[in-house]
Amino acid sequence: MKFFIDTADVAEIADLASSGLVDGVTTNPSLIAKSGRNFLEAGREICALVPGPVSAEVTAVHLDGMLAEGRKLAKLAPNVCVKLPLTWDGLKACRALADEGTLVNVTLCFQAGQALLAAKAGATFISPFVGRLDDIGQEGMQLISDIVEIYRNYPATLRTEVLVASARGVNHVIEAARLGAHVVTVPPKVLRDLALHPMTDKGLAAFLKDWEATGQRIL
Ligand code: G3P
């Protein structure tokens, strides 16, 4: 499963990307606003930090504007993935941009029918927002299960990768992997949390204490 970082914080991306465990980045207008950065400048910097797709979202809501913005964003760097909302105009823009060879991430997906249309529109990625469904008492990961099952029925025609978004913690990541999602995008903290367990810390401390008692050094 691929790990994308869900942030526009360039310093955080640089730090985590140095681990070699980051495959891409997703941003959205709210994350850009939170960063306080110029969108296009930050986008170029982020694209230089990771090898894989960097999602940059259009802000137009009608087809012509989506296409104009998407084509401008696609020129920022070869690994830009244009992010489009799951609306009819977004689906039409997805089809057009995908036909031009542009990577497309169709976002704000909340039910499987939307994911089916996005795949038919040639989306590279579909972004179901699991955390926001959980927030309203629905089962976000059930949507992932449904989409993975549906896409698996049509391997020759539906090539879209399931990109689990709005993931709020380690359990979302683990469940996404169990279900066979292709990608999960997480805030920096969640990726760091994935490496943590108190018994790991406790066990390491015990190893080092016992080693210290030997008086030996490896170097
Ligand atoms: O990639 C989508 C993500 O940024 C949304 O997360 O926590 O605002 O639902 P959240």
Side-chain angles (χ1 to χ4, degrees):
M1 187 168 73
K2 287 175 273 193
F3 289 151
F4 290 4
I5 299 298
D6 194 43
T7 185
D9 184 325
V10 174
E12 282 277 43
I13 295 167
D15 177 51
L16 288 169
S18 66
S19 69
L21 298 174
V22 174
D23 301 296
V25 174
T26 52
T27 70
N28 60 44
S30 299
L31 292 172
I32 292 295
K34 184 179 177 183
S35 76
R37 292 290 310 275
N38 172 277
F39 179 22
L40 301 181
E41 284 176 14
R44 287 189 193 92
E45 290 175 27
I46 294 169
C47 287
L49 288 171
V50 296
V54 174
S55 291
E57 189 162 343
V58 302
T59 56
V61 295
H62 299 298
L63 177 58
D64 291 347
M66 287 177 168
L67 292 176
E69 289 185 7
R71 287 168 179 144
K72 180 171 184 179
L73 293 174
K75 289 176 181 162
L76 286 178
N79 56 328
V80 162
C81 179
V82 175
K83 216 176 189 183
L84 297 162
L86 218 155
T87 61
W88 272 112
D89 280 57
L91 291 168
K92 291 175 185 174
C94 176
R95 181 73 277 165
L97 292 173
D99 289 346
E100 294 172 6
T102 298
L103 296 177
V104 179
N105 178 359
V106 177
T107 189
L108 289 168
C109 172
F110 293 95
Q111 52 96 348
Q114 290 178 315
L116 194 49
L117 288 174
K120 284 184 65 67
T124 313
F125 302 106
I126 182 67
S127 288
F129 278 35
V130 298
R132 294 192 188 184
L133 286 170
D134 291 353
D135 290 346
I136 61 169
Q138 295 186 20
E139 288 294 328
M141 295 313 291
Q142 181 59 51
L143 175 59
I144 301 302
S145 178
D146 294 345
I147 296 170
V148 168
E149 178 188 4
I150 290 166
Y151 283 8
R152 280 180 178 161
N153 289 339
Y154 305 95
T157 53
L158 301 184
R159 305 292 183 82
T160 300
E161 295 192 352
V162 180
L163 192 167
V164 177
S166 184
R168 303 283 174 73
V170 168
N171 289 338
H172 276 152
V173 177
I174 294 166
E175 188 63 14
R178 287 185 63 249
L179 292 171
H182 305 84
V183 189
V184 63
T185 192
V186 293
K189 179 181 183 307
V190 174
L191 186 63
R192 294 193 174 98
D193 286 350
L194 208 55
L196 304 180
H197 193 289
M199 292 185 72
T200 303
D201 299 338
K202 188 176 178 185
L204 181 57
F207 285 163
L208 296 177
K209 180 172 180 283
D210 292 343
W211 173 253
E212 196 69 29
T214 71
Q216 298 180 59
R217 292 287 180 273
I218 294 173
L219 296 177

